[in-house]
Amino acid sequence: NAGVTQTPKFQVLKTGQSMTLQCAQDMNHEYMSWYRQDPGMGLRLIHYSVGAGITDQGEVPNGYNVSRSTTEDFPLRLLSAAPSQTSVYFCASRTLPGQGANTEAFFGQGTRLTVV
Amino acid sequence: GNSVTQMEGPVTLSEEAFLTINCTYTATGYPSLFWYVQYPGEGLQLLLKATKADDKGSNKGFEATYRKETTSFHLEKGSVQVSDSAVYFCALTNTDKLIFGTGTRLQVFP
């Protein structure tokens, strides 16, 4: 039972480089989301998706793109990395509320990104 | 909009002490409330939850009661252990978004 799998676990980028953080879940959850965690600021929502082909912006979307071509995968793209994007990134998935199902969110192990 | 406010940490306790971490929320309607825990180097995992007013969530000796009249969901444990040292996040959802507080670091010393 893999749950939510994030790769890579660690990454160092130079300013201006691009990369994709991968996230996959095997629980058939409709809802997937990306958060960044910074000291003193908790988890802030970057982008989320309520199903394949549907994405929306969260609290801090600037500098990030997402797509949801399948139920299982929800990659996060940094097109031109900046030092302000140094953070720990978490992917999460869950069933949607209001469907009589458990709305617990399951998290990946995180990706620690440093932009120099 | 929806928001969660947690007490700032770190909270430093000796083993077997009583723990309270305060959490209050602002939300429309009837949100579900959660406590998540993050151990060092790991992702978040659900500790307990409550889905309606007066519900009490409990797990691993931790408890929290959904108080609609005071819009609170305070986390308590009667006797903490060194292994409880972690960051604790209060969260809510009443839409498709899960909103987190800033987290409270708990440090328990022998």
Side-chain angles (χ1 to χ4, degrees), chain A residues 105-116:
Chain A
F106 293 83
F107 284 80
Q109 293 285 306
T111 296
R112 185 173 296 275
L113 175 68
T114 302
V115 183
V116 297

Side-chain angles (χ1 to χ4, degrees), chain A residues 31 35 37 40-43 45 48 50 57-58 90 94 96-97 102-109, chain B residues 32 34 36 38 41-46 49 87 89 93-103:
Chain A
Y31 184 96
Y35 292 87
Q37 183 179 24
M41 304 191 76
L43 277 76
L45 183 64
Y48 65 100
V50 297
Q57 297 182 348
F90 287 100
R94 62 190 179 113
L96 288 174
N102 186 343
T103 57
E104 172 185 355
F106 293 83
F107 284 80
Q109 293 285 306
Chain B
S32 293
F34 306 84
Y36 282 82
Q38 183 182 30
E42 298 184 9
L44 280 71
Q45 53 187 278
L46 181 68
K49 68 175 183 179
V87 181
F89 292 90
T93 183
N94 63 354
T95 64
D96 49 6
K97 297 180 184 177
L98 186 59
I99 307 298
F100 287 89
T102 54

Side-chain angles (χ1 to χ4, degrees), chain B residues 65-110:
Chain B
T65 301
Y66 189 142
R67 302 287 188 197
K68 191 164 180 62
E69 64 276 13
T70 54
T71 62
S72 65
F73 193 54
H74 305 321
L75 182 67
E76 297 181 336
K77 187 175 185 182
S79 177
V80 294
Q81 305 300 312
V82 173
S83 58
D84 294 326
S85 297
V87 181
Y88 293 81
F89 292 90
C90 186
L92 71 81
T93 183
N94 63 354
T95 64
D96 49 6
K97 297 180 184 177
L98 186 59
I99 307 298
F100 287 89
T102 54
T104 302
R105 181 175 299 279
L106 171 65
Q107 298 174 324
V108 181
F109 294 95

Side-chain angles (χ1 to χ4, degrees), chain A residues 22-63:
Chain A
Q22 301 291 343
C23 177
Q25 54 94 7
D26 61 358
M27 296 170 283
N28 201 33
H29 286 164
E30 303 92 343
Y31 184 96
M32 297 185 73
S33 55
W34 278 101
Y35 292 87
R36 58 178 290 172
Q37 183 179 24
D38 301 292
M41 304 191 76
L43 277 76
R44 293 183 291 170
L45 183 64
I46 304 172
H47 285 284
Y48 65 100
S49 168
V50 297
I54 305 169
T55 64
D56 207 345
Q57 297 182 348
E59 183 184 356
V60 288
N62 292 341

